[in-house]
Amino acid sequence: QVQLLESGGGLVQAGSSLRLSCTASGLTFDDYVMAWFRQTPEKGREGIACVNVNGRATHYADSVKGRFFISRDNAENTVFLQMDSLKPEDTAMYYCAAARRNRWPVMAVTAADYWGQGTQVTVSS
């Protein structure tokens, strides 16, 4: 059974940083592109960052480019999202996702094969 377990969310002030982690089990981690999505009632679920199977290629949504950084540790089956210069509009539920290696970039909900349960990030002004 595939499981993606996110951690690291919380309540922070604007301008702060947070680091999200997602640890995978039940799959061959380096066969999967890993991605982060976020969801709000207003915008729905949107892709914000993805990293390819060996960690050498990344892709970002314009809304987070230059502030968020995705990386992965294949030895630990973990993907990270470093979030800097957080803004109130970054407030959302953040989800980790895994997609088979032949899909790139993974920015659409339909591209993901597996999902985590989500971790809440709230940024106060």
Side-chain angles (χ1 to χ4, degrees):
Q1 182 180 358
V2 175
Q3 287 191 322
L4 303 178
L5 185 61
E6 301 101 332
S7 61
L11 171 63
V12 297
Q13 290 188 330
S16 300
S17 297
L18 275 177
R19 190 192 196 204
L20 305 184
S21 300
C22 170
T23 300
S25 60
L27 52 71
T28 303
F29 188 69
D30 57 7
D31 276 349
Y32 287 81
V33 173
M34 299 302 296
W36 287 96
F37 288 71
R38 65 186 181 187
Q39 183 169 348
T40 63
E42 298 79 19
K43 295 185 177 181
R45 191 171 297 194
E46 57 179 358
I48 56 171
C50 58
V51 59
N52 76 337
V53 295
N54 61 19
R56 293 174 185 168
T58 57
H59 185 84
Y60 297 94
D62 287 343
S63 57
V64 305
K65 199 172 292 182
R67 299 187 300 121
F68 290 12
F69 303 93
I70 188 170
S71 61
R72 66 190 292 160
D73 183 341
N74 285 351
E76 298 294 331
N77 286 8
T78 301
V79 60
F80 304 97
L81 185 68
Q82 177 66 38
M83 305 187 294
D84 298 329
S85 303
L86 282 161
K87 305 175 182 179
E89 51 263 45
D90 294 318
T91 295
M93 184 70 78
Y94 283 70
Y95 294 90
C96 171
R100 290 180 177 83
R101 62 163 61 223
N102 60 324
R103 298 170 194 162
W104 184 261
V106 176
M107 300 295 278
V109 171
T110 52
D113 294 297
Y114 302 106
W115 295 93
Q117 84 291 345
T119 185
Q120 178 69 36
V121 172
T122 303
V123 184
S124 64
S125 58

